[in-house]
């Protein structure tokens, strides 16, 4: 598993979130990336627009922020969405300059960005399979 640093989660919820993260890593096939880091922080913030999470990173380190200003269920769905982006960064498919799989998407509107389309298509499936199933 990639090394995950988890902050801002209630002590009682840590085992549940850690199990969920392990299952997400396996589902996204990044569980063998042992020398990578995923830094996850749950905090009270709302990003401009409608985003309740964000993810930035590279092939070695990913930082994910999840807004606590949403329901617990939505926080877990957002975490699944952002973990898809983590996988994209760690594999080198996505860079913070809007390059995805070697192509420049800097002029592409948000809804059509291929990394967002993939994350949106997987978030509910990942949540339903790996979180709902365990709770």
């Amino acid at each position: 598993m990639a090394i995950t640093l988890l902050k801002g989660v209630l002590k009682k919820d840590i085992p549940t979130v850690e199990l969920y993260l392990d299952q997400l890593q396996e589902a996204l096939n990044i569980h063998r990336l042992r020398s990578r880091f995923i830094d996850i922080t749950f905090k009270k913030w709302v990003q401009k627009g409608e985003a309740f999470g964000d993810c930035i990173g590279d092939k070695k380190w990913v930082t994910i922020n999840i807004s606590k200003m949403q329901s617990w269920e939505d926080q877990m769905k957002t975490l699944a969405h952002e973990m898809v982006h983590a996988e994209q960064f760690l594999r080198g498919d996505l860079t913070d300059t809007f390059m995805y799989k070697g192509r420049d998407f800097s002029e592409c509107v948000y809804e059509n960005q291929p990394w967002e389309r993939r994350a949106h298509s997987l978030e509910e499936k990942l949540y339903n399979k790996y979180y709902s199933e365990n709770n």
Side-chain angles (χ1 to χ4, degrees), residues 71-122:
S71 70
W72 180 253
E73 177 182 328
D74 286 341
Q75 288 177 57
M76 294 300 101
K77 287 178 184 177
T78 301
L79 181 55
H81 178 102
E82 300 307 334
M83 283 296 290
V84 173
H85 293 318
E87 178 257 342
Q88 294 164 336
F89 279 115
L90 293 172
R91 295 223 175 273
D93 291 342
L94 179 61
T95 70
D96 60 0
T97 59
F98 294 96
M99 294 292 289
Y100 184 71
K101 296 189 176 184
R103 292 184 54 207
D104 182 358
F105 285 90
S106 57
E107 300 296 319
C108 189
V109 294
Y110 174 84
E111 298 83 27
N112 294 330
Q113 294 169 336
W115 58 90
E116 287 298 339
R117 292 176 65 135
R118 181 164 186 268
H120 282 293
S121 73
L122 289 176

Side-chain angles (χ1 to χ4, degrees), residues 12-65:
K12 70 176 182 67
D13 293 325
I14 290 173
T16 302
V17 175
E18 285 179 340
L19 174 62
Y20 184 47
L21 285 167
D22 288 348
Q23 292 172 325
L24 289 173
Q25 284 191 53
E26 251 185 82
L28 295 167
N29 203 25
I30 56 174
H31 60 289
R32 293 189 178 124
L33 303 178
R34 290 178 175 83
S35 62
R36 308 310 197 282
F37 292 87
I38 303 173
D39 186 1
I40 302 167
T41 304
F42 288 77
K43 56 187 176 180
K44 291 183 179 181
W45 64 279
V46 178
Q47 192 172 335
K48 291 179 183 176
E50 296 181 23
F52 285 101
D54 67 10
C55 180
I56 59 169
D58 56 36
K59 288 183 177 184
K60 295 183 183 211
W61 191 287
V62 171
T63 300
I64 294 173
N65 293 301

